[in-house]
Amino acid sequence: MAPLAGDFTYGQWSAVYNALSFGIAAMGSATVFFWLQLPNVTKSYRTALTITGIVTWIATYHYFRIFNSWVAAFEVQQAGGDYAVSVSGTPFNDAYRYVDWLLTVPLLLIELILVMKLPAGETASMGTKLGLASAVMVALGYPGEIQENLAVRWFWWALAMIPFFYVVYSLLAGLGEATAKQPESVSGLVSAARYLTAVSWLTYPFVYIIKNIGLAGPTATMCEQIGYSIADVVAKAVFGVLIWAIAAEKSRLEELSKPGRR
Amino acid sequence: MAPLAGDFTYGQWSAVYNALSFGIAAMGSATVFFWLQLPNVTKSYRTALTITGIVTWIATYHYFRIFNSWVAAFEVQQAGGDYAVSVSGTPFNDAYRYVDWLLTVPLLLIELILVMKLPAGETASMGTKLGLASAVMVALGYPGEIQENLAVRWFWWALAMIPFFYVVYSLLAGLGEATAKQPESVSGLVSAARYLTAVSWLTYPFVYIIKNIGLAGPTATMCEQIGYSIADVVAKAVFGVLIWAIAAEKSRLEELSKPGRR
């Protein structure tokens, strides 16, 4: 990435700083919640819930790294009645987000597929297709993200949108059919998880093109960092809570229908 | 190892930086996954799964060390519209990789042998033979890795290839027989694990000879570090997922055939 350009105000700098710290707290606490809930679901849903926690755990690691990189990239000093912010010369490493997505986005889709408990063959084929398509999507996004040239940014954005639409379409249409086969009390939750994925995913391409729609310098960087942080918390932690709710409800139904139950 | 030579661009430096951080995240999350899955397999496979997690855990430790060593070995400063990278004079310690392999490579083979659940005598003899051969292989590779002299590199490479071929041959031929004795629903997975081992292992001797086939300086170092990182993630984390899948499927079959089961 090119060096951070322009003069950040203390307000802009600390808005990003606090959004990143919020990311650490939200992802870290979601991780603990998911893993502590493992004994409360039946064996069938433990792998889905384990992966749900792995996704937020990987994100916790990366939010720590992004936070530390943000702090190292600036010098903040009192200047009269305010604080003056200047770049320190140490690079701010934005690649952490892409490394994170490369690992977590395929896993997110796999946790959704696992919690639906489809026949084994369907689980494997959907997991492979959606997992690979989402990894390609992230890989195609990166070359544009590190570019200042707006035409080149649009080019990679458009390429990444192809697997993006494939995944979102599969979620809405393909999994829609499977949703209909879920027990009545969970089909609403599964449907919510599918739509939450679609909506939270749609934020990413918009944050990506912030620089292409006229914003530049510190304001663009601030909107990008805060936008990605909120989208990440929704797509990983809030989405994970839905996965947990589905797993818990389906576990309850399984226990009810056990033959040996008094 | 000789000091790092040549001028690294910021792109080369950060490609290695991000590959190493990817290593930390991938190995760390794989470890948690394997250990959280322990209650989900029967007792027979818990040792194999524990060791699978130990392998990625040792790798997580070493990737942290290699990452920190990489950061300490350079100074990165903003220079106009880009970043300038220069060596700091602090050594980059490549020996971490060899210490890691000395511990993890024999363990990797042992986890594969354990998950096959062969008769006790066969498990012990195969574990000893493959474990020792692979440790000798790693030990023979190191003297060449720290050499700049290409003839000496080739000499140690060739020596290390002797135990290397012995291990790969044993996996493909010797374990091939045992694979045939596995239950039908897992023989495909076991076979996949054997081939993944062979293929991912084959990347190492190629990465090793990067310097011998004309690449030099920063480009060679970058390709080496990224190549080893990807090979490690495949050989330890992805391979581990296959070991887990085998253990989970064999556990399911064991539970099904339990006499007391209704």
Side-chain angles (χ1 to χ4, degrees), chain B:
Chain B
M1 202 174 87
L4 292 163
D7 292 324
F8 284 78
T9 66
Y10 176 62
Q12 289 170 327
W13 178 81
S14 59
V16 174
Y17 178 99
N18 289 310
L20 296 173
S21 176
F22 166 78
I24 298 172
M27 299 295 190
S29 51
T31 306
V32 176
F33 178 76
F34 300 137
W35 289 345
L36 285 179
Q37 286 287 335
L38 280 174
N40 289 355
V41 301
T42 54
K43 224 173 149 181
S44 329
Y45 301 104
R46 285 196 193 138
T47 305
L49 202 53
T50 304
I51 295 178
T52 308
I54 299 250
V55 165
T56 48
W57 174 240
I58 297 172
T60 309
Y61 166 76
H62 285 116
Y63 270 86
F64 259 112
R65 289 289 196 192
I66 302 169
F67 178 90
N68 289 346
S69 183
W70 182 256
V71 170
F74 292 91
E75 264 157 25
V76 182
Q77 268 300 317
Q78 191 168 340
D82 200 359
Y83 292 101
V85 177
S86 55
V87 292
S88 69
T90 305
F92 173 58
N93 181 27
D94 222 10
Y96 285 130
R97 292 199 181 278
Y98 279 79
V99 175
D100 181 87
W101 294 336
L102 200 61
L103 287 163
T104 57
V105 175
L107 289 173
L108 271 175
L109 293 168
I110 289 167
E111 82 192 43
L112 178 61
I113 295 165
L114 281 178
V115 87
M116 301 195 69
K117 214 180 166 188
L118 307 170
E122 224 174 302
T123 301
S125 81
M126 282 207 106
T128 312
K129 275 192 290 184
L130 295 185
L132 280 178
S134 60
V136 169
M137 171 188 84
V138 173
L140 287 173
Y142 188 62
E145 183 76 81
I146 55 171
Q147 277 289 335
E148 295 299 307
N149 182 320
L150 296 189
V152 181
R153 285 181 75 90
W154 276 119
F155 172 76
W156 290 106
W157 179 84
L159 276 188
M161 287 308 274
I162 300 168
F164 177 88
F165 277 120
Y166 169 72
V167 174
V168 172
Y169 173 79
S170 304
L171 284 178
L172 296 183
L175 285 177
E177 254 176 77
T179 307
K181 290 180 209 146
Q182 300 291 315
E184 205 194 324
S185 64
V186 292
S187 72
L189 285 169
V190 175
S191 170
R194 280 195 308 134
Y195 284 103
L196 187 78
T197 313
V199 171
S200 67
W201 280 43
L202 276 168
T203 26
Y204 292 96
F206 282 104
V207 176
Y208 190 99
I209 55 168
I210 279 175
K211 283 185 184 153
N212 292 40
I213 53 169
L215 280 180
T219 311
T221 303
M222 180 184 76
C223 292
E224 248 181 36
Q225 293 304 322
I226 296 176
Y228 280 147
S229 301
I230 294 172
D232 272 355
V233 168
V234 174
K236 294 179 170 79
V238 178
F239 175 75
V241 171
L242 281 175
I243 296 290
W244 160 75
I246 295 166
E249 177 61 17
K250 289 176 87 169
S251 297
R252 196 183 65 83
L253 295 174
E254 269 185 20
E255 295 276 336
L256 277 178
S257 64
K258 248 191 208 160
R261 196 181 177 274
R262 266 169 283 190

Side-chain angles (χ1 to χ4, degrees), chain A residues 246-259:
Chain A
I246 295 166
E249 176 61 16
K250 288 176 89 169
S251 298
R252 195 183 65 83
L253 296 174
E254 267 185 22
E255 295 278 334
L256 278 179
S257 64
K258 247 193 206 158

